[in-house]
Amino acid sequence: MPPSSLPDGEPVPASGELPGSALAGLATTDLGIYVHVPFCSVRCGYCDFNTYTLTELGPRDGSAAAIGLDTYADAALAELDLARRVLGDAALPVSTVFVGGGTPTMLRSADLVRVLSGIRERFGLTPGAEVTTEANPDSVTPESLAELAVGGFTRVSLGMQSAVPHVLATLERTHDPDNVARAVEAVRAVGMQVSLDLIYGTPGESLADWRRSLEAAVAMGPDHVSAYALVVEDGTKLAGQVRRGQVPMPEDDDEADKYELADELLTRAGYQWYEVSNWARSDGARCRHNLAYWSGANWWGVGPGAHSHVGGVRWWNAKHPAAYAARLVAGGSPALAREILSGDQRYDETVLLGTRIVDGLPLDVLRGSGRAAVAGLIADGLVDGPAAVGDGRVVLTRRGRLLADTVVHRLIAW
């Protein structure tokens, strides 16, 4: 199935040049770099990400624009050269790096380290910079992880999804559940932090199945846990199965029960929520790269289909690896289009993202109608009263996290 389509936007200059207004704040704000590796060994039935199996990409024709596992790092380094030219000295150094996908660890560890070294050489890294790669449990070995750790990676996010075989089968995940624990131990053995990613609401998953997955995750003692509700995206194989009645559509009440169970079990085990779908053992275990997204910070997205945001300008790269590489080979930006956010758009995003995190949204950020709505949200049990009255911040209750979209709608209503 093809991945989701990109939005429309205005053309991007071939040089990738940004307006001066977008660059103005770089010296006073952190910069993160996201690296998208679009390769997977198989396409999971629920996946709507910009990923491709090697079979889908087909044989490479030998041209300079061909891109595969062995040439991906060269293309990424070429885009990093562009990023350095566009952003200039004000962007130095980088505070977080996140390599996602796809399955980044389909690349050789040496190539992942080469991309990280390219970031370090062009931008520098702040002391204690957070450097994460996503991985499938079956795509790492003690040797490959040791090479990543020596090369500067500090964190691995493992796609566990579930501990229950029939749930993994519905998701078309191919890893052996027993390998998750082995991968966690291997990550720990080389001194990196480990996060586990879980999905709830898979068709056919019972509450007992979800409890089993949560308990299995907690037993492994990761530093961080993410738990996301399954979204059945149009165009995916899973959406077709739902449409044909082969599998049932997840129910909202079922997903709410599973979220509450996750928060209850993780809190009891010593994890604290810091974003609606994320829990960490300590402040130091929070994913700083993702926190930068939620705080509206700046990041450059490297790779096919990657999105970037700098100073209120958002742009996105050509999706197909060949189209992405061809633009770089021609000496131009791989960006397909961009949008310059209006003041109202930036305000709405500030409210949307700020309410998702445990630190909350300062009341004085809200416009008059939004501030007026807070009392009603407290009365409805969606916003924490003491945090609003005592600290001047909008912080969601557990029920508010379940109805976060409702809260945001009421805060930004005109």
Side-chain angles (χ1 to χ4, degrees):
M1 295 291 178
S4 58
S5 60
L6 290 169
D8 295 326
E10 64 180 45
V12 176
S15 65
E17 180 183 2
L18 290 170
S21 58
L23 301 174
L26 276 175
T28 57
T29 56
D30 287 343
L31 174 71
I33 291 184
Y34 171 74
V35 180
H36 185 71
V37 179
F39 309 115
C40 278
S41 57
V42 298
R43 176 175 292 283
C44 300
Y46 67 92
C47 181
D48 189 45
F49 296 160
N50 188 46
T51 62
Y52 306 84
T53 66
L54 299 185
T55 301
E56 287 172 334
L57 288 174
R60 302 210 308 279
D61 59 10
S63 69
I67 184 171
L69 293 176
D70 56 341
T71 57
Y72 173 83
D74 294 324
L77 291 171
E79 187 177 355
L80 287 168
D81 285 334
L82 172 76
R84 183 67 177 83
R85 292 195 299 271
V86 169
L87 297 179
D89 292 343
L92 311 181
V94 165
S95 57
T96 64
V97 177
F98 195 105
V99 186
T103 307
T105 42
M106 281 187 67
L107 297 182
R108 296 175 302 172
S109 292
D111 282 334
L112 291 174
V113 169
R114 189 152 70 94
V115 173
L116 177 58
S117 296
I119 295 170
R120 187 184 293 110
E121 291 161 4
R122 290 159 179 77
F123 291 92
L125 294 174
T126 60
E130 176 192 89
V131 181
T132 303
T133 185
E134 293 180 335
N136 284 344
D138 291 351
S139 68
V140 293
T141 64
E143 294 75 21
S144 69
L145 291 168
E147 191 170 4
L148 291 174
V150 170
F153 282 80
T154 65
R155 190 172 177 276
V156 176
S157 181
L158 292 168
M160 174 181 171
Q161 317 310 0
S162 174
V164 181
H166 79 83
V167 175
L168 291 172
T170 299
L171 293 172
E172 297 188 85
R173 299 290 294 184
T174 58
H175 68 264
D176 181 344
D178 293 338
N179 280 351
V180 179
R182 286 191 282 270
V184 168
E185 287 304 315
V187 172
R188 237 194 233 105
V190 295
M192 291 191 286
Q193 287 192 348
V194 61
S195 175
L196 293 177
D197 286 355
L198 299 172
I199 289 178
Y200 60 91
T202 300
E205 179 191 59
S206 67
L207 194 61
D209 289 333
W210 177 233
R211 179 183 289 274
R212 177 178 166 188
S213 294
L214 288 166
E215 290 174 344
V218 167
M220 287 181 259
D223 303 284
H224 182 282
V225 176
S226 298
Y228 298 102
L230 177 67
V231 177
V232 180
E233 300 283 4
D234 290 342
T236 61
K237 180 179 178 180
L238 182 59
Q241 292 172 321
V242 169
R243 186 176 62 253
R244 292 188 296 271
Q246 294 171 306
V247 295
M249 183 67 129
E251 298 289 339
D252 290 343
D253 287 349
D254 174 72
E255 291 191 350
D257 290 343
K258 287 173 179 172
Y259 181 87
E260 291 180 330
L261 180 62
D263 193 48
E264 176 187 331
L265 293 185
L266 291 170
T267 301
R268 190 187 307 159
Y271 296 87
Q272 297 297 319
W273 81 278
Y274 71 95
E275 191 275 339
V276 168
S277 300
N278 290 272
W279 292 258
R281 276 199 179 277
S282 65
D283 289 353
R286 297 177 178 182
C287 180
R288 286 157 32 207
H289 185 85
N290 286 342
L291 277 169
Y293 292 155
W294 298 317
S295 63
N298 298 316
W299 75 90
W300 187 293
V302 172
H307 286 233
S308 303
H309 170 265
V310 173
V313 180
R314 184 162 48 219
W315 68 94
W316 42 94
N317 288 346
K319 293 184 66 172
H320 196 278
Y324 165 81
R327 288 170 176 260
L328 288 168
V329 168
S333 167
L336 195 64
R338 74 182 185 187
E339 62 177 336
I340 299 175
L341 301 178
S342 68
D344 286 342
Q345 285 176 309
R346 297 187 76 173
Y347 172 77
D348 289 352
E349 290 195 0
T350 296
V351 175
L352 171 68
L353 298 171
T355 53
R356 292 187 65 87
I357 57 178
V358 71
D359 293 339
L361 180 75
L363 283 172
D364 58 13
V365 168
L366 292 169
R367 293 170 175 165
S369 59
R371 284 195 298 272
V374 171
L377 291 167
I378 293 171
D380 291 341
L382 303 178
V383 166
D384 182 81
V389 175
D391 300 331
R393 308 186 76 83
V394 175
V395 177
L396 299 178
T397 61
R398 181 186 287 175
R399 183 166 180 266
R401 282 179 266 157
L402 288 169
L403 298 171
D405 290 346
T406 297
V407 174
V408 170
H409 179 75
R410 288 167 65 176
L411 291 175
I412 65 176
W414 294 91

